[in-house]
C-alpha cells in the first residue's frame, strides 16, 4: 500500500531494508504501471492528435504529455509493459516517447 501511494504521488525512487521486501515492491510497481497503461496511452494519443490539429475533449498541456510519456517509459524500463504493446496503444515508438518526455537521445 505504501509503495503504491508513493508511486501515485510521484515518488518513484524507494528503498527496502530487507531482501524480503523486494517481491512486494516489484509486484506493486508492476501492477501500478499495468493498471495505468490504457488510460495513460489514451490521454497521450488524444494529446498527440490534438497537437496535430484534431479537436478532442482532452486539453492536456505539453508538460502533461511529458509526464504521461515518462510514465510509459518507466513502465517499459521496469518490464511491466513492452514496446510492442505501447506502440499498439499509442502509435508511438520508444524514441517518440523519449522525445515527448524530454529525455536525451541515447
Amino acid at each position: 500500500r505504501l509503495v503504491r501511494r508513493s508511486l501515485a504521488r510521484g515518488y518513484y525512487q524507494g528503498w527496502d531494508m530487507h531482501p524480503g521486501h523486494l517481491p512486494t515492491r516489484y509486484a506493486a510497481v508492476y501492477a501500478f504501471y499495468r493498471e495505468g497503461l490504457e488510460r495513460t496511452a489514451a490521454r497521450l494519443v488524444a494529446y498527440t492528435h490534438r497537437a496535430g490539429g484534431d479537436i478532442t475533449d482532452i486539453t492536456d498541456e505539453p508538460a502533461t504529455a511529458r509526464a504521461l510519456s515518462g510514465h510509459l517509459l518507466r513502465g517499459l524500463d521496469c518490464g511491466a509493459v513492452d514496446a510492442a504493446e505501447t506502440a499498439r496503444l499509442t502509435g508511438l515508438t520508444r524514441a517518440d516517447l523519449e522525445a515527448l518526455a524530454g529525455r536525451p537521445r541515447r
Side-chain angles (χ1 to χ4, degrees):
R1 190 178 84 232
L2 294 174
V3 172
R4 290 182 63 80
R5 184 177 72 183
S6 293
L7 289 169
R9 292 181 178 175
Y11 297 105
Y12 301 107
Q13 187 174 1
W15 63 90
D16 296 295
M17 301 302 286
H18 187 275
H21 296 162
L22 295 176
T24 56
R25 173 172 296 278
Y26 178 79
V29 169
Y30 190 91
F32 178 78
Y33 288 111
R34 290 295 315 159
E35 290 167 6
L37 175 62
E38 289 187 19
R39 182 171 175 242
T40 301
R43 284 185 67 186
L44 197 55
V45 166
Y47 172 81
T48 56
H49 286 170
R50 184 167 186 258
D54 292 346
I55 297 174
T56 64
D57 293 335
I58 297 176
T59 56
D60 284 328
E61 299 177 350
T64 305
R66 185 176 185 148
L68 292 169
S69 57
H71 180 88
L72 292 176
L73 287 167
R74 283 188 297 276
L76 284 166
D77 291 343
C78 78
V81 299
D82 63 19
E85 182 177 31
T86 303
R88 180 179 54 79
L89 291 171
T90 64
L92 301 170
T93 65
R94 183 179 179 101
D96 296 333
L97 292 172
E98 288 174 345
L100 281 170
R103 289 188 180 181
R105 288 187 172 226
R106 295 181 194 180

